[in-house]
Amino acid sequence: MPDIKIQNLTKVYEESGNKIVAVDDVNLTIEDDEFVTLVGPSGCGKTTTLRCVAGLNVPTSGTIKFGDRDVTDKPVQERNIALLFQDIALYPHMSVQENMAYGLKIVGFSQEERIARVEEAAELLQITDQLKKMPADLSGGQQQRVALGRSLVRDPEVFLFDEPMSDLDAKLKAELRPVIEKVTDEIGCPTLYVTHDQEEAMTMSDRVAVINDGELAQVAPPKEIYDEPNSRFVSQFIGQPSTQFFDGNVRAINGTAELVVGDYKYQVARDGLEGWDGDDVSVGLRPQYISVSDDPEAGIPATHLLDEPLGDATHSFFETEFGEVIVVTDPDFEGNREEYGLVFQTDSIQLYDADTGVRLA
Ligand code: ATP
């Protein structure tokens, strides 16, 4: 299978005389057997990027290649892609089997070949027992499997998904996620998957591409994106609850930096902070790296506001002099609106340039 090369892709829309730069010089290669998720907030350019790869939007500049084949000017029907959207749009008057076979019939496959391909795809998607049913008799997750099957039977070179699960409830999503992973893995096509759901991005991808304002912010495997975000934006976007941020100031002494946050001082052993002596920084800490002491003097004094018990952990909200802070506490934690001290795990502190948000250390 070919890889997908997105080279210097820019897409500018014009609306009422205004120019909207939806995608801004994006470069991304998706290897032939790789699953890459494009994730970011609403309006950041995810769908526009995918539509350019699909041939549904014409780029303002840049190139799309499948392997060595330049497809930038090719219409969607000449790209041999499997394309799945949020809207499933099966033919309501056709059975599952007929829905899956219809595209093959139109391009002249024999009945025997159609049956063989549909049966093979149905087995992979675990919908063999649904083949005689009508779409109205299926759940949303089953309908999306049929839509996937309809693409699969045509032997696509490339898989493109645009938020295919956003209409499904959490349980159906959790069921469909491994099916999509298994199918794309077995077919071995490059896959570009668009979502605003960072949980989908983290669980399904070989690499996650975080996009912000039309520009790629970071492209890396899920664990690296989570552990080593390269910017305040990525740190805040990936991870639930979000990274908590505090205004701070650096005093670097021989590689060990003293961080000052309000009246509180933290020793952070990091290289490369010498030049930052005296500068303002944004101090980031994931909520599981803040602990709660019964002694308000042991850390930043915090008034407990409320708990959200999740079974395996609790999200606890506190009011502090720096604003509201969320901490991941034990499953049985109950704050009862009392006073606590919030203690930072200094090894896990992330430091960002206060102005640009770029990661410093
Ligand atoms: P969402 O998650 O909400 O679908 P997205 O990240 O997929 O958002 P896009 O749909 O690619 O973002 O839109 C990127 C920007 O381009 C937005 O500002 C959007 O308003 C604008 N845009 C998208 N399509 C058009 C269009 N056809 N004409 C004008 N502007 C558009």
Side-chain angles (χ1 to χ4, degrees):
M1 294 290 179
D3 56 6
I4 302 173
K5 295 187 192 81
I6 303 172
Q7 296 171 328
N8 305 107
L9 178 68
T10 294
K11 176 69 184 176
V12 181
Y13 293 109
E14 288 228 27
E15 210 175 50
S16 322
N18 292 326
K19 289 195 166 172
I20 300 161
V21 183
V23 181
D24 192 0
D25 197 25
V26 162
N27 285 283
L28 179 64
T29 296
I30 301 146
E31 301 298 339
D32 56 2
D33 56 353
E34 198 181 27
F35 194 119
V36 172
T37 305
L38 201 51
V39 67
S42 184
C44 68
K46 305 180 293 292
T47 293
T48 302
T49 303
L50 181 123
R51 288 176 65 87
C52 288
V53 176
L56 296 168
N57 278 0
V58 179
T60 307
S61 59
T63 307
I64 307 293
K65 285 185 179 168
F66 293 169
D68 293 332
R69 190 161 71 102
D70 186 337
V71 296
T72 317
D73 298 321
K74 299 270 182 240
V76 60
Q77 61 274 18
E78 286 179 31
R79 297 197 185 195
N80 195 19
I81 53 176
L83 189 54
L84 247 80
F85 296 104
Q86 174 181 352
D87 296 331
I88 302 171
L90 299 175
Y91 300 113
H93 57 286
M94 290 185 192
S95 69
V96 167
Q97 178 149 25
E98 288 163 344
N99 262 285
M100 285 171 66
Y102 187 64
L104 297 176
K105 190 172 178 180
I106 287 187
V107 292
F109 278 79
S110 69
Q111 191 181 19
E112 201 176 304
E113 180 73 355
R114 291 197 307 262
I115 290 173
R117 286 189 177 220
V118 167
E119 281 179 358
E120 195 184 341
E123 197 170 323
L124 194 57
L125 291 158
Q126 296 157 14
I127 51 170
T128 304
D129 55 346
Q130 319 279 330
L131 284 173
K132 299 274 177 283
K133 288 191 179 170
M134 302 303 281
D137 299 327
L138 304 178
S139 72
Q142 287 166 335
Q143 288 185 26
Q144 199 54 289
R145 287 183 203 217
V146 177
L148 184 53
R150 197 168 50 180
S151 302
L152 259 186
V153 293
R154 291 187 294 103
D155 276 344
E157 286 178 58
V158 162
F159 272 112
L160 303 175
F161 294 88
D162 190 0
E163 310 240 16
M165 297 200 274
S166 52
D167 279 348
L168 305 184
D169 64 34
K171 190 166 174 293
L172 287 178
K173 275 186 191 181
E175 281 172 17
L176 193 56
R177 267 197 319 241
V179 175
I180 292 179
E181 284 176 83
K182 187 174 129 202
V183 167
T184 52
D185 198 43
E186 285 208 12
I187 305 297
C189 291
T191 302
L192 182 60
Y193 186 103
V194 160
T195 182
H196 64 272
D197 180 336
Q198 46 117 359
E199 191 178 316
E200 271 175 35
M202 294 296 282
T203 51
M204 298 175 80
S205 321
D206 295 315
R207 284 188 302 157
V208 177
V210 183
I211 183 167
N212 184 26
D213 274 346
E215 293 181 37
L216 280 186
Q218 188 171 4
V219 185
K223 187 158 166 38
E224 189 178 326
I225 286 269
Y226 185 83
D227 288 341
E228 297 300 336
N230 67 358
S231 63
R232 192 185 138 112
F233 172 79
V234 173
S235 183
Q236 190 164 34
F237 190 76
I238 299 288
Q240 185 59 33
S242 282
T243 302
Q244 306 293 292
F245 292 98
F246 306 85
D247 293 338
N249 189 271
V250 177
R251 290 176 202 159
I253 312 133
N254 295 331
T256 302
E258 183 176 77
L259 264 186
V260 183
V261 178
D263 290 337
Y264 306 93
K265 294 188 175 131
Y266 302 93
Q267 301 302 318
V268 184
R270 300 287 162 83
D271 294 331
L273 285 174
E274 287 78 7
W276 286 86
D277 204 353
D279 285 348
D280 290 337
V281 287
S282 183
V283 176
L285 207 56
R286 295 213 177 268
Q288 55 272 45
Y289 301 131
I290 303 173
S291 56
V292 178
S293 167
D294 290 339
D295 176 7
E297 304 277 302
I300 297 172
T303 308
H304 175 258
L305 297 174
L306 62 97
D307 293 315
E308 287 179 348
L310 300 172
D312 56 348
T314 300
H315 295 172
S316 301
F317 293 67
F318 295 88
E319 187 58 45
T320 73
E321 65 189 273
F322 306 108
E324 194 173 284
V325 177
I326 305 175
V327 181
V328 177
T329 51
D330 290 338
D332 50 359
F333 180 83
E334 284 179 35
N336 297 324
R337 297 182 165 267
E338 288 166 8
E339 298 297 311
Y340 293 90
L342 300 187
V343 180
F344 289 181
Q345 188 173 312
T346 51
D347 289 358
S348 303
I349 281 177
Q350 306 166 356
L351 292 179
Y352 298 94
D353 184 311
D355 296 325
T356 64
V358 169
R359 180 83 183 258
L360 300 173

